[in-house]
């Protein structure tokens, strides 16, 4: 593996997640970029940046640990440059603020309060606050900031029409291909009943790829139903493989579902959806445990999503340290190696750049055997070419219809 961050943008992306970035007074990140949002799922809070090799990322900038970072962002002329301990590392780009953030839906709601771009896809949390935040004593996951976001940066209750119009506006302006719905926990497993009408409407109106992230429903028939209404991808955030660590970190999830139910759902869905992801947080358990969970997920046909723990301000674990880069490297290398070994599809869908995690294919930057299994990698490339061509054709008829139908829907604020 190339160990110089100036020559290895994947390592730079990882190192910036772990160490953060100081912002020099010369920067006008709010004017030139997207501003700083507390984005969905409680693990992204920072500055959206595009690193060399078109690696999108969301870099911590406000958490206290960032003060110790060797990295500084400076604006020089029109360029934004990263320095490490005073040495030039690279020029980066700040993705511009989407114009649809400044528009309102036909119900008068600012679209930026309906959905947020996380990299190049639209993330929507369509339902009320996760009920783990409302119970007394509180049982929310200890890293999570969802209960701090809703009603501040995000509309608490969203209407279906508002969500559809925001998705159409994001598609028209940014060419998004994928909408990701995320819910928390609601008594009686009602998260699916609440989510279903949003998913149906967005799929029917836009034809876009749809991802869903919820707790594991007790009735597994729900997953066939989601598939039949057009959900392409499903993910389950079990966060930690080590059971005592899971119980300590996620008291609500532990009491209502338990780790086993999450794992059963991952295994069950791997045979139903185009992609099933198990989501874990690296940095809250020994790296060996994270690697064990990656090996298990890939063995059942699921693709790991590995987030780096970020001690977000205001969360219960805000005082925990950010992980060390050297501890994280073997985890992300294994994520890539294991997906290739099992021939799992990576990076096939068009225009999906994810800022809040390292994509599985980006683990290649950290792998000691980036050229292993050449046939599997060629197969993946060909699948990507075929899928992108099909999707472009499929979605264009929705685009043509929506250009007329929603012409008047998006109004300036
Ligand atoms: S289930 Fe946990 S991580 Fe998900 S929204 Fe609720 S508290 Fe946050």
């Amino acid at each position: 593996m190339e160990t110089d961050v100036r020559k290895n943008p994947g390592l730079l992306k990882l190192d910036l997640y772990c160490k953060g970035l100081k912002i020099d007074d010369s920067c006008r990140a709010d004017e030139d970029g997207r501003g700083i949002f507390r984005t969905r799922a409680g693990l992204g809070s920072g500055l959206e940046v595009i690193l060399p090799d078109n690696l999108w990322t969301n870099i911590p900038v406000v958490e206290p640990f960032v003060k110790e970072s060797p990295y500084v962002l400076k604006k020089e002329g029109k360029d934004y440059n990263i320095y490490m301990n005073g040495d030039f590392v690279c020029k980066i780009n700040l993705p511009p603020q989407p114009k649809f953030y400044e528009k309102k839906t036909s119900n008068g709601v600012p679209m930026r309060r309906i959905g947020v771009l996380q990299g190049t896809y639209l993330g929507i949390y369509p339902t009320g606050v996760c009920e783990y935040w409302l119970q007394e004593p509180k049982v929310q996951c200890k890293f999570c900031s969802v209960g701090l976001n809703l009603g501040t940066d995000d509309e608490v209750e969203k209407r279906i029409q508002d969500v559809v119009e925001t998705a159409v506006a994001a598609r028209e302006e940014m060419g998004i291909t994928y909408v990701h719905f995320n819910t928390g926990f609601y008594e009686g497993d009602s998260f699916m009943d609440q989510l279903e009408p949003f998913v149906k409407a967005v799929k029917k109106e836009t034809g876009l790829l749809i991802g869903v992230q919820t707790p594991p429903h007790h009735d597994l028939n729900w997953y066939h139903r989601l598939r039949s209404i057009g959900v392409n991808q499903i993910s389950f955030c079990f966060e930690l493989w080590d059971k005592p660590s899971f119980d300590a970190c996620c008291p609500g999830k532990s009491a209502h579902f338990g780790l086993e139910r999450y794992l059963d759902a991952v295994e069950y869905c791997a045979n139903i959806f185009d992609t099933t992801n198990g989501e874990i947080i690296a940095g809250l358990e020994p790296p060996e445990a994270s690697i064990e969970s990656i090996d298990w997920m890939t063995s059942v046909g699921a693709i790991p999503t590995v987030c780096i723990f970020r001690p977000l301000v205001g969360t219960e674990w805000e005082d925990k340290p950010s992980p060390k880069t050297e501890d994280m490297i073997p985890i992300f290398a294994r994520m890539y190696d294991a997906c290739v070994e099992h021939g799992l599809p990576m990076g096939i869908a068009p225009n999906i750049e994810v800022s809040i995690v390292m994509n599985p294919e980006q683990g290649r930057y950290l792998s000691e055997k980036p050229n292993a299994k050449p046939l599997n990698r060629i197969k993946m490339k060909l699948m990507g070419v075929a899928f992108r061509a099909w999707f472009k054709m499929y979605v264009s008829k929705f685009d043509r219809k929506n250009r007329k139908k929603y012409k008047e829907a998006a109004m300036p604020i």
Side-chain angles (χ1 to χ4, degrees):
M1 180 195 84
E2 172 59 64
T3 56
D4 183 347
V5 292
R6 286 169 295 195
K7 296 180 188 156
N8 186 340
L11 180 61
L12 178 64
K13 176 168 172 171
L14 181 64
D15 208 28
L16 287 164
Y17 279 139
C18 294
K19 296 182 176 140
L21 177 70
K22 289 184 278 204
I23 309 279
D24 185 74
D25 288 345
S26 57
C27 298
R28 297 284 171 271
D30 275 0
E31 293 161 23
D32 298 337
R34 288 185 178 175
I36 295 165
F37 268 87
R38 284 180 181 279
T39 44
R40 288 278 63 77
L43 276 174
S45 64
L47 183 67
E48 296 270 306
V49 161
I50 307 171
L51 298 174
D53 269 10
N54 197 35
L55 296 192
W56 288 65
T57 189
N58 177 289
I59 308 175
V61 292
V62 296
E63 287 73 21
F65 73 88
V66 174
K67 287 193 194 86
E68 308 301 320
S69 174
Y71 293 105
V72 182
L73 182 67
K74 293 184 181 174
K75 185 173 185 184
E76 296 173 315
K78 287 188 175 163
D79 292 346
Y80 277 91
N81 297 322
I82 293 183
Y83 287 82
M84 181 176 62
N85 295 324
D87 293 334
F88 177 77
V89 175
C90 63
K91 173 175 175 300
I92 56 112
N93 288 311
L94 298 182
Q97 177 94 312
K99 293 191 183 73
F100 77 86
Y101 279 11
E102 298 305 320
K103 292 178 177 169
K104 285 196 278 191
T105 66
S106 55
N107 286 317
V109 183
M111 288 185 174
R112 66 164 177 268
R113 292 177 66 85
I114 300 293
V116 176
L117 288 183
Q118 297 173 340
T120 60
Y121 71 86
L122 186 67
I124 296 179
Y125 194 105
T127 49
V129 69
C130 170
E131 289 182 7
Y132 291 150
W133 280 84
L134 306 178
Q135 296 178 7
E136 281 303 336
K138 287 196 169 64
V139 289
Q140 79 267 21
C141 305
K142 298 196 172 163
F143 57 82
C144 176
S145 67
V146 161
L148 307 173
N149 304 337
L150 290 165
T152 313
D153 289 342
D154 218 65
E155 200 69 7
V156 178
E157 297 289 347
K158 298 179 176 86
R159 277 175 281 211
I160 292 171
Q161 188 64 20
D162 293 335
V163 170
V164 169
E165 288 174 13
T166 303
V168 169
R171 168 72 189 160
E172 179 67 17
E173 182 193 338
M174 310 295 293
I176 63 158
T177 56
Y178 172 63
V179 181
H180 184 250
F181 289 97
N182 187 346
T183 79
F185 167 78
Y186 309 100
E187 262 325 322
D189 281 11
S190 66
F191 39 86
M192 290 299 198
D193 303 271
Q194 296 188 50
L195 200 57
E196 190 183 26
F198 290 98
V199 170
K200 266 188 181 163
V202 171
K203 190 73 180 186
K204 180 168 166 276
E205 288 294 300
T206 68
L208 293 173
L209 301 169
I210 303 276
V212 163
Q213 184 173 297
T214 70
H217 201 286
H218 287 77
D219 177 2
L220 293 173
N221 288 317
W222 258 107
Y223 296 106
H224 296 280
R225 193 159 149 183
L226 285 186
R227 183 63 180 146
S228 72
I229 61 170
V231 172
N232 303 89
Q233 178 263 352
I234 192 129
S235 60
F236 298 99
C237 302
F238 58 90
E239 327 292 6
L240 294 161
W241 179 252
D242 174 63
K243 189 169 178 309
S245 304
F246 169 83
D247 294 339
C249 175
C250 309
K253 289 182 179 183
S254 169
H256 284 103
F257 302 102
L259 182 56
E260 275 306 310
R261 188 171 292 282
Y262 273 87
L263 302 185
D264 288 349
V266 170
E267 192 164 3
Y268 189 81
C269 288
N271 294 315
I272 300 177
F273 294 93
D274 297 333
T275 305
T276 296
N277 295 98
E279 193 163 318
I280 57 170
I281 301 176
L284 289 174
E285 63 184 346
E288 303 75 49
S290 303
I291 288 172
E292 219 175 281
S293 81
I294 287 169
D295 283 335
W296 176 78
M297 282 188 262
T298 50
S299 76
V300 300
I303 297 188
T305 303
V306 185
C307 310
I308 293 276
F309 170 62
R310 189 176 298 187
L312 296 178
V313 176
T315 59
E316 287 209 38
W317 280 0
E318 64 179 347
D319 294 327
K320 276 195 175 282
S322 183
K324 289 192 169 67
T325 307
E326 54 272 29
D327 293 342
M328 299 296 103
I329 290 171
I331 300 173
F332 288 94
R334 186 61 200 147
M335 173 180 73
Y336 173 78
D337 293 344
C339 286
V340 172
E341 281 163 24
H342 289 279
L344 296 173
M346 295 184 279
I348 282 177
N351 189 28
I352 302 184
E353 305 294 343
V354 185
S355 60
I356 56 174
V357 296
M358 299 271 292
N359 285 347
E361 64 272 23
Q362 291 168 357
R364 186 161 188 255
Y365 288 101
L366 308 168
S367 171
E368 295 299 340
K369 35 185 181 177
N371 298 322
K373 298 271 182 190
L375 287 181
N376 282 2
R377 288 186 296 112
I378 290 169
K379 188 176 123 196
M380 227 182 301
K381 278 216 166 94
L382 293 176
M383 281 169 72
V385 171
F387 184 78
R388 285 191 283 274
W390 169 81
F391 182 77
K392 196 173 168 193
M393 242 169 43
Y394 172 74
V395 88
S396 62
K397 59 179 185 275
F398 292 89
D399 292 344
R400 279 196 297 276
K401 175 197 73 173
N402 286 339
R403 239 161 250 148
K404 289 185 196 147
K405 185 170 174 186
Y406 290 97
K407 202 172 168 200
E408 307 301 329
M411 300 174 290
I413 288 178

